[in-house]
Amino acid sequence: MFETKIPFKKFSSIVALGLLAGSASANVLYNNTNLEEFGSQGVPPGWMASAFRVTESACPFGCDVSDITLLLRSGTLFGPTAGITLEVYSDSANQTDAPSAPGSSLISMINPSSFNTTAKFAVFSAPEQDTNTPAVFQKNSWYWVYLSATPEASLTEWSYDGGSGYWAFDRGEGAQFGDEGPFIMKVEGVKRSGSTGPIDPPSQVPLPGTVWLMGSALIGLLSTWRKKTA
């Protein structure tokens, strides 16, 4: 007779992975990539930052960073993407009406995860975050998307929309701040549900009485079997 083994463990792992993969989807928190490209601003080495506001409707209980997409100018990315860093910064004054300046770094994305040479979109993906840590984005708060590049980076310019917005940049001449022409970007995040703080561990469920009764019955049968074989 051939013994057939059913791979329950492998199947259950596949199901679990599928559930985890489809459990959360990113929503757009800020997007001005549909605007016309007016010019360029910021030439590496150095950095430039643009502010955006997270609304209560977008992140009622906070959001985790997912992807941030930047629109780069024509011919500004050649070959390797090493040396480019995109970071999310808090606002130093934590104001609700308008941002003031970049505060502390919250999350770092090293090098674009993908780049579309036709559309000139560079996508930066956030590293996997611990689900038990507080959300990065809080409702009714300003954040800064902070782009920097080393002299060896293949990035030479990035785009801005020329419209109303907040920006800061430093190309070695000291930080400067303004309120027109943020670079073109799309920020995506994953909504949290019910709380912005750590997730409580699942409570221990007491075993029902039937389980205890079954266990005692099995012990009784085992002791009877031992007496018969003795």
Side-chain angles (χ1 to χ4, degrees):
M1 297 263 319
F2 292 97
E3 185 179 355
T4 303
K5 295 182 179 180
I6 302 174
F8 286 108
K9 291 183 178 179
K10 188 178 292 185
F11 177 74
S12 61
S13 300
I14 294 171
V15 171
L17 287 172
L19 290 174
L20 288 172
S23 59
S25 58
N27 62 309
V28 177
L29 307 181
Y30 175 84
N31 186 10
N32 65 345
T33 56
N34 58 341
L35 298 176
E36 183 181 352
E37 182 181 344
F38 285 94
S40 64
Q41 197 161 235
V43 180
W47 57 264
M48 181 177 176
S50 286
F52 71 98
R53 185 171 180 266
V54 174
T55 63
E56 184 170 1
S57 60
C59 296
F61 302 107
C63 285
D64 289 328
V65 180
S66 178
D67 292 338
I68 297 179
T69 303
L70 295 185
L71 175 61
L72 304 178
R73 284 185 61 78
S74 175
T76 59
L77 194 58
F78 307 94
T81 57
I84 304 173
T85 301
L86 196 68
E87 295 180 87
V88 176
Y89 275 67
S90 64
D91 186 69
S92 59
N94 197 25
Q95 301 178 111
T96 56
D97 52 348
S100 63
S104 58
S105 176
L106 301 175
I107 193 168
S108 181
M109 308 177 187
I110 308 298
N111 303 326
S113 54
S114 66
F115 178 68
N116 185 315
T117 55
T118 304
K120 308 176 186 66
F121 284 135
V123 179
F124 296 79
S125 297
E128 184 177 353
Q129 299 176 62
D130 186 355
T131 56
N132 292 321
T133 58
V136 172
F137 293 147
Q138 305 293 345
K139 63 182 180 181
N140 299 326
S141 300
W142 285 92
Y143 293 93
W144 293 81
V145 174
Y146 195 100
L147 176 67
S148 61
T150 64
E152 296 78 21
S154 54
L155 175 68
T156 58
E157 292 182 359
W158 48 82
S159 300
Y160 75 104
D161 65 11
S164 175
Y166 298 89
W167 53 263
F169 71 88
D170 184 358
R171 295 199 294 265
E173 304 168 353
Q176 302 180 48
F177 301 91
D179 59 358
E180 65 176 271
F183 49 67
I184 298 176
M185 63 180 174
K186 178 173 68 173
V187 182
E188 296 176 274
V190 177
K191 287 185 179 180
R192 285 178 172 266
S193 58
S195 175
T196 57
I199 300 171
D200 295 330
S203 59
Q204 294 183 354
V205 180
L207 292 173
T210 52
V211 174
W212 294 115
L213 290 173
M214 183 179 293
S216 59
L218 288 173
I219 293 172
L221 287 173
L222 181 61
S223 61
T224 305
W225 176 78
R226 283 184 174 179
K227 286 181 182 178
K228 287 183 179 180
T229 54

